[in-house]
Amino acid sequence: MKNWTKKFRIPPGKRIRLEDWPTAGGDGMEKSEARRRLEIIGPQMADWQHRLYAEQRRAVLVVLQAMDAGGKDGVIRRVFTFLNPQGCRVTSFKTPTPSELAHDFLWRIHQAVPARGEVGVFNRSHYEDVLIVRVQNLVRQKVWEQRYDQINDFERMLTENGTAIFKFILHISREEQRQRLEERLRDPSKHWKADPADARERECWDDYIAAYEDAIERCGTPWAPWHVIPADRKWFRDLAIAEIFLEGLRSLRPQYPPPKVDLSKIVIR
Ligand code: ATP
Ligand code: MG
């Protein structure tokens, strides 16, 4: 498949119905083929990351959002481990601490954005402040309503300062989520992930879908576009994100910088 970005990128400001958006991509593709392809493009991701790192001019920010059990951890483990850890930083955003809550909602986010030369991966992000915060009424509507514009301004400021932003929603079906949450109860190696909050949040599925649709429409911008990835099949999800990340990184054309000094003057004895 070609043009992964085009296929899954949502045009700025477009409203989509997530219900109509596929959750099970990969028709016509075999799992083994997808895994093989990932092994080929993983090192290419690392190669371009190396140039980004050497160049020290721009940064790349990847935002991962999903319903519970949507596969954010899996994507980080399967896709972003191809990168050199020296230039890659993953940040997981949990329930804000009292100190975080004492600041504006973007305060903790800004501290975690990647430095020049780095790739930053957000496992959850500032979008929680218009998702769970909205669904669970953690602040007044007037407050979360303002956040869409505030997020757009913040993301535009980041891109104007050299940070390219790629946002992903891992889109799973309600049935797939049920199976994954049940698996957390069944499989001892997943018990540590089981959380009563997951069952509670699941009850609010429709409210979350509405909140996601608004975030896609109101915060899909030319400078920080959303990609909605069919995520029921893990192998397809991983490949799609790797391909889109690679296409995005490549399009920045990071270059090895010229030498800082006159190399002919350096004598190695
Ligand atoms: P997993 O999917 O593997 O369970 P997780 O990302 O859900 O991982 P948890 O520690 O289980 O990690 O959950 C973090 C919780 O913190 C989520 O329920 C998320 O919605 C919540 N959270 C994150 N940011 C905010 C925020 N700004 N305000 C309120 N809750 C938040
Ligand atoms: Mg959780």
Side-chain angles (χ1 to χ4, degrees):
M1 190 156 60
K2 281 207 175 100
N3 285 327
W4 291 78
T5 302
K6 213 163 148 201
K7 190 141 195 233
F8 297 114
R9 179 171 290 186
I10 310 301
K14 186 171 159 121
R15 181 156 195 94
I16 63 165
R17 273 170 53 95
L18 279 170
E19 213 184 309
D20 300 335
W21 203 260
T23 57
D27 294 335
M29 188 182 255
E30 294 283 333
K31 176 177 177 181
S32 58
E33 186 192 340
R35 287 291 186 219
R36 252 198 322 275
R37 172 86 186 142
L38 185 60
E39 291 299 319
I40 292 169
I41 66 168
Q44 294 175 14
M45 286 168 47
D47 188 53
W48 284 100
Q49 179 210 10
H50 197 237
R51 288 161 202 255
L52 185 85
Y53 189 75
E55 189 190 65
Q56 290 287 314
R57 277 203 318 124
R58 276 98 42 95
V60 174
L61 173 61
V62 174
V63 172
L64 299 176
Q65 282 293 157
M67 296 282 199
D68 289 307
K72 295 177 275 77
D73 292 351
V75 166
I76 292 164
R77 195 173 59 243
R78 291 275 192 171
V79 178
F80 290 99
T81 42
F82 282 105
L83 299 183
N84 178 348
Q86 178 142 263
C88 178
R89 193 146 60 106
V90 178
T91 310
S92 300
F93 291 98
K94 309 283 185 184
T95 308
T97 63
S99 147
E100 287 168 348
L101 282 175
H103 294 83
D104 69 88
F105 77 106
L106 291 170
W107 179 75
R108 64 173 183 165
I109 308 294
H110 205 166
Q111 293 179 69
V113 301
R116 294 181 206 290
E118 281 183 349
V119 175
V121 181
F122 282 0
N123 179 349
R124 302 189 188 269
S125 66
H126 40 304
Y127 285 96
E128 295 295 319
D129 292 283
V130 288
L131 292 167
I132 188 170
V133 168
R134 161 177 160 170
V135 169
Q136 298 301 348
N137 291 308
L138 301 182
V139 299
R140 282 174 302 132
Q141 174 160 2
K142 186 169 173 291
V143 174
W144 61 252
E145 275 283 356
Q146 294 176 319
R147 290 183 172 169
Y148 298 99
D149 287 342
Q150 291 167 350
I151 287 173
N152 289 342
D153 288 344
F154 173 69
E155 292 181 349
R156 189 167 40 78
M157 184 277 291
L158 292 181
T159 52
E160 286 171 355
N161 282 277
T163 302
I165 305 175
F166 302 95
K167 301 184 297 204
F168 295 94
I169 288 168
L170 313 180
H171 181 39
I172 56 169
S173 66
R174 199 164 180 205
E175 173 56 23
E176 179 69 21
Q177 188 197 47
R178 189 178 62 75
Q179 288 177 21
R180 290 185 190 182
L181 292 180
E182 280 176 1
E183 186 65 18
R184 287 183 180 182
L185 304 179
R186 245 193 332 264
D187 178 348
S189 76
K190 294 187 175 155
H191 284 171
W192 64 279
K193 279 200 170 193
D195 181 351
D198 291 344
R200 249 187 348 256
E201 300 299 332
R202 182 174 160 76
E203 303 284 322
C204 307
W205 179 272
D206 292 339
D207 294 337
Y208 272 103
I209 291 288
Y212 268 103
E213 287 174 349
D214 279 352
I216 292 168
E217 179 185 356
R218 300 182 66 177
C219 297
T221 56
W223 56 90
W226 280 112
H227 306 81
V228 180
I229 307 297
D232 282 355
R233 296 184 177 129
K234 295 173 181 173
W235 50 268
F236 183 79
R237 164 201 82 193
D238 295 342
L239 181 60
I241 290 186
E243 295 274 11
I244 294 167
F245 175 77
L246 179 61
E247 283 173 12
L249 186 53
R250 243 194 212 138
S251 71
L252 301 178
R253 299 255 153 246
Q255 304 286 331
Y256 288 114
K260 294 188 200 81
V261 293
D262 181 354
L263 299 185
S264 66
K265 296 264 162 57
I266 302 178
V267 182
I268 315 275
R269 292 181 204 286

